[in-house]
Amino acid sequence: MDISSLVNSEDLFELQLLHPATEEPLGISFMIRSAESNEVKKIVRQHSDRFLASRKKKLTTSKVEAEYLDKAAAAIASWSWGEQQWKGEQPLLSFEKAREVVEEAGWIYDQVAGASEDRANFMKSLPKGFQKP
């Protein structure tokens, strides 16, 4: 088996959002990028470049939190809200809107970040008899 293509960081994973208390599907699906994808890494690099270029080079909790939120927002490649709404509307995807959603709804952030970080979501099918990690 050629393991060089076992994980494809550029594949998308379909995340079905679950209600935070009941874990019932909400009818909202997000297509998620891997945390190792080029789009997500671009955001991480921008934060690192800004930090390294700053004269003060002072890392704060709010800067770290902003990086995590930006990384989660960048992981959302597309979304479908089905019959659900966000603040009374069917939101159009933009980085800013995705950032708003993951910042204001921690439970959505948790699901998006978890799906993006879970490498198994971006693995090719394994031969019969093998288990995904």
Side-chain angles (χ1 to χ4, degrees):
M1 169 197 284
D2 181 356
I3 63 168
S4 66
S5 61
L6 194 58
V7 177
N8 184 346
S9 308
E10 298 307 317
D11 276 352
L12 298 177
F13 172 75
E14 184 174 5
L15 170 67
Q16 296 294 324
L17 280 185
L18 303 177
H19 187 283
T22 65
E23 295 191 359
E24 293 292 320
L26 291 170
I28 302 170
S29 63
F30 287 10
M31 295 305 291
I32 302 296
R33 294 181 180 101
S34 166
E36 298 171 344
S37 70
N38 290 329
E39 283 295 312
V40 175
K41 283 182 178 179
K42 181 169 66 173
I43 293 295
V44 173
R45 287 185 192 112
Q46 286 173 358
H47 279 273
S48 296
D49 288 346
R50 271 187 245 131
F51 172 71
L52 293 172
S54 79
R55 293 182 186 163
K56 296 178 186 175
K57 294 191 179 182
K58 184 178 179 185
L59 188 59
T60 63
T61 305
S62 63
K63 287 179 184 176
V64 172
E65 180 181 288
E67 181 175 336
Y68 282 117
L69 292 169
D70 286 353
K71 188 175 173 183
I76 302 171
S78 65
W79 60 24
S80 171
W81 287 80
E83 299 296 318
Q84 307 297 341
Q85 296 183 349
W86 175 259
K87 295 186 176 181
E89 68 177 13
Q90 288 275 317
L92 296 176
L93 180 64
S94 67
F95 177 80
E96 293 76 19
K97 186 57 77 173
R99 175 65 155 71
E100 174 189 315
V101 169
V102 297
E103 181 173 17
E104 294 182 22
W107 62 274
I108 294 177
Y109 167 83
D110 289 344
Q111 291 181 45
V112 168
S116 180
E117 294 286 340
D118 187 350
R119 191 173 286 123
N121 290 336
F122 306 96
M123 292 183 71
K124 301 289 183 193
S125 295
L126 293 173
K128 196 172 189 171
F130 284 86
Q131 299 274 336
K132 280 191 175 186

